[in-house]
Amino acid sequence: MTRSLLFFLLLHLAAAPAALGLDHTLAVRLRELSAEAFLDAIAYELRKDPAARPALDALPRGAAAAAAAGPASTQAALFDAAAALVPAAALPPEGRAAAARAIGEARAYIAPPDLPAWQESPLPEKRTPPPGLAVHRGGAPETAAADPASLRWKDADGYAASRLGPLTAVLDALGPRDRIVLSNLPPERLPLNLFGRGRLLALNLPVSGYAKRLWLLEGAGGRRTLLLGSFQGASFLRHFELLIKRRCAGKNAPSLTVAEHRAAYEPYYRALTALRAANPGALDGLEGLAAGYAESFRVYWSSYSLSSASDAAGDWRVDLYRPPGAGLWGVVSARSSYYGETLGMNLRYLVEESTGIRTVLIAGSGGSLDPRPLYSMTYPSHVIAADGSTVPNALASQADYTAHVSVHSPLEETPAWTAAALRRGAGTVDVEMAQAAAALSGLGLRLGFAVLVTDFPAERPVFARALERASLARQDPALKYGGLAGYANGVEEWLRGGPPPGWQPIEKRLGRTLAEQSALNLRGAEARLAPFSPAEQRLLERLEKYFTASPPSFSVRMSTARAARALEDEALLSTGLVAALKGNTVTPFTPGYEEEAYGAYDYIFGTLSYWDGPERYGPAVLRLGRDAWRRRAWATRRSAMRALAVEAEEAGLDLEAAAADAGTVEKAGARFASWIVVPRDLPEALALQVTEELRALPPAAAADFAAAPDEEIPALIARHDVGWLEGKIWKSARMEELELVKAPLPYPAGISVPAARLGLRLVPAK
């Protein structure tokens, strides 16, 4: 703030009545931070539209201080003063219109009241605390294990400050004699021993004031109590508890208490049913609900739009659409918040009142524990509810187990929490979906979930480049929302009978799941190979039993240089992810035909057998643990390129000509599909494969298998080159999923050092 502006603002505040109850330093800071919050909201919206961005670039330095130093007496007037400083007049007509829309969106989101930033508020003498009020000294039990001070993800302090907004100034002004109370009740419902008597100020602060209300009480002896009350959700309250603890970490801070009456949340959980009651008939006939990124549906489903219904406060809204062949759909949004469990409970109550709803979809921002491109949309295979149950995702591929979990607040995502989540198989995390899954899973609904990756809670070197561009506290809305067309259009295609948007490319091409294709292949192989001789039948049964009891390994062969890079990144990446995450130019080992056939560049390839695979791929081996490949892999007898080669030979064509011939490519695709096997079917499928391959070898090979004890089966498989599969894992694998690392002696330092740091077993390559 410039000296002249500060002097003007101090004079302006000095002339205000003493009853305002704030010292000048805090008053100045609250006003300036309010203006900053308004400008931040406007800037966020301006960044979404390239036509409006020049106005942001030309915004004068010190704009927040200039707005704060003006005569605006209410928060609404202060917002207008901040908006007036946006230099939109110099833009062309399209830019001026875009800037006006951005300012309007910011105003609608932040909803500045026509009230001053602080005002005296009467404090009723009579208190009516409800029976059963739960009081927790030090914080809510659910967050007792969280330690926000130990967070290590990027800009955690900036994130906390951005969510607290101007409230940071109040928190910084409090001392150890003061206290903080978080409650879902207003002052008149709290007991005197928790919220006493004195001068009460209502704080009307942007960002930190929505979905709750703020009061500052000055009691006897100058002791102050900051009340964050009337919270509209239990998770939201706990989120702010952790935000405050992060802000106060390492300081001589006030005491903190949570006072909660669960029944007081119910009106907020019934906002959608209240909306339905206020709009009779408007929501009748709904077949599905979608929540999250409503603005994308307004753009990409605009031709299917019918109407909208809102509640009396203009807060909750349902946009109605009828995509061809998909029935009537409602897309839910809320100006205030449906943070945490609030969304799931609202959807549950509406579904219970509207018996025709059969599908509910939820999309939102989340953190990725797995390597994924920033602002990419991901579809976890399952959501792990709070009770530990898993809810399948109707929008996702079930061939790759990538679970989703939820927290009360991102400030729970400490290194200890992240390690535990990874052990559970979690790949993404947010603050709403698991609560919604728990609320909705018993209603017989088809549930779908989509996560837009906006941050990376796990500390991994592979995330470094993405984190140069963004964090939870600093995001690029143009990039963030730019990819949502794929989500809205993918959902539409699915509703009209197409594949789910989260299916793997091979599943979309086949029109069925990998598990369904594997089952078809298993039945086909049995029919094709029958009848079996008595010796073959005995061997089949023996092999299937052995493969069930002692499954093969998933070994990824590579050069020592690539192994060192994977250990340095703390992630094993597909070719596509190396380019997307690290920006490196990659020359794929996999032929381009395979990329065209099923998106091969997005897979990690390995040998699924009892040996480590062909040595031509390199001397180093990263071996995945059994649980990892059983949950995440699928396999084929050979590669898609091999399928093309077989068809080319039968057609009398060379490979280049075969790849250019549509009929041959179609046959090669069918052959490749006939080789697909998923882990569930692997023991029987692999036993059939070995039996078939032995038929093509001299009888002595089958005799070797018949005579050998079970423990020699792996050696026989390697010796006769039978019974191995090309395994595939989508996108990436974590270091936590590795069983061991093999490298030639003497171990290169680029492998031995990170392997020791990561606790990986390192053994000599033979």
Side-chain angles (χ1 to χ4, degrees), residues 90 170 545:
V170 181
K545 183 178 179 181

Side-chain angles (χ1 to χ4, degrees), residues 145-153 369 407 410-424 457-459 736:
D147 179 18
S150 67
L151 289 167
R152 289 165 62 178
W153 43 265
L369 304 176
V407 289
L411 296 176
E412 290 183 69
E413 296 163 12
T414 62
W417 178 90
T418 300
L422 289 169
R423 287 193 295 271
R424 298 172 70 192
E459 193 176 32
E736 292 86 352

Side-chain angles (χ1 to χ4, degrees), residues 51-59 84-97 99:
R53 277 197 177 219
L56 177 62
D57 297 336
L59 191 68
L85 295 174
V86 175
L91 299 178
E94 180 185 358
R96 290 197 298 273

Side-chain angles (χ1 to χ4, degrees), residues 32 57 66 113 121 147 207 216 349 365 444 489 509 523 552 562 593 633 682 693 697 713:
E32 185 179 19
D57 297 336
S121 179
D147 179 18
V207 182
L216 184 63
Y349 286 144
S365 302
N489 294 333
R509 179 158 294 191
R523 292 195 295 270
R562 184 188 171 198
Y593 167 78
L682 187 140
E693 290 171 340
L697 297 177
I713 288 176

Side-chain angles (χ1 to χ4, degrees), residues 31-100:
R31 189 171 171 87
E32 185 179 19
L33 287 175
S34 292
E36 284 184 8
F38 295 143
L39 278 172
D40 284 346
I42 292 170
Y44 186 83
E45 297 297 331
L46 289 171
R47 290 190 187 98
K48 289 183 180 179
D49 194 327
R53 277 197 177 219
L56 177 62
D57 297 336
L59 191 68
R61 293 183 62 184
S73 59
T74 68
Q75 295 291 67
L78 184 58
F79 179 94
D80 291 339
L85 295 174
V86 175
L91 299 178
E94 180 185 358
R96 290 197 298 273

Side-chain angles (χ1 to χ4, degrees), residues 496-703:
R496 297 172 70 171
W503 269 14
Q504 296 190 31
I506 185 69
E507 293 176 304
K508 292 180 178 180
R509 179 158 294 191
L510 293 170
R512 63 176 67 95
T513 68
L514 284 162
E516 290 169 338
Q517 183 65 44
S518 177
L520 288 174
N521 294 343
L522 192 59
R523 292 195 295 270
E526 290 171 335
R528 187 179 70 253
L529 296 177
F532 299 99
S533 70
E536 286 180 328
Q537 189 64 46
R538 287 192 297 272
L539 181 60
L540 262 177
E541 293 172 0
R542 182 175 162 220
L543 288 174
E544 185 177 347
K545 183 178 179 181
Y546 180 81
F547 295 151
T548 300
S550 303
S553 298
F554 191 113
S555 300
V556 185
R557 271 201 178 271
M558 61 188 69
S559 67
T560 54
R562 184 188 171 198
R565 285 194 298 271
L567 295 173
E568 178 187 0
D569 290 338
E570 297 184 17
L572 183 57
L573 305 178
S574 66
T575 297
L577 269 185
V578 170
L581 277 177
K582 303 182 70 176
N584 295 349
T585 302
V586 181
T587 302
F589 197 94
T590 305
Y593 167 78
E594 300 218 11
E595 168 66 10
E596 296 171 7
Y598 65 98
Y601 294 167
D602 281 333
Y603 287 93
I604 297 165
F605 296 92
T607 298
L608 191 53
S609 187
Y610 295 89
W611 62 303
D612 292 329
E615 294 183 3
R616 67 177 181 272
Y617 295 117
V621 175
L622 301 186
R623 180 180 291 175
L624 270 76
R626 188 174 297 171
D627 288 344
W629 71 255
R630 277 177 160 174
R631 293 192 302 182
R632 302 197 53 209
W634 58 281
T636 53
R637 181 176 296 194
R638 293 293 184 269
S639 68
M641 197 69 192
R642 177 59 184 159
L644 179 66
V646 171
E647 296 298 335
E649 184 177 352
E650 291 186 1
L653 301 172
D654 61 31
L655 277 176
E656 186 176 351
D661 181 73
T664 305
V665 167
E666 184 177 354
K667 290 179 181 178
R671 182 180 291 273
F672 179 70
S674 74
W675 292 342
I676 288 172
V677 58
V678 298
R680 178 198 64 196
D681 298 330
L682 187 140
E684 186 177 357
L686 195 56
L688 287 166
Q689 179 181 329
V690 171
T691 301
E692 181 178 8
E693 290 171 340
L694 286 175
R695 285 181 177 180
L697 297 177

Side-chain angles (χ1 to χ4, degrees), residues 333-356:
S333 58
R335 190 195 66 208
S336 58
S337 174
Y338 52 52
Y339 191 99
E341 84 290 353
T342 304
L343 174 62
M345 294 304 297
N346 267 280
L347 294 174
R348 178 185 179 92
Y349 286 144
L350 182 60
V351 168
E352 288 176 339
E353 284 194 3
S354 309
T355 55

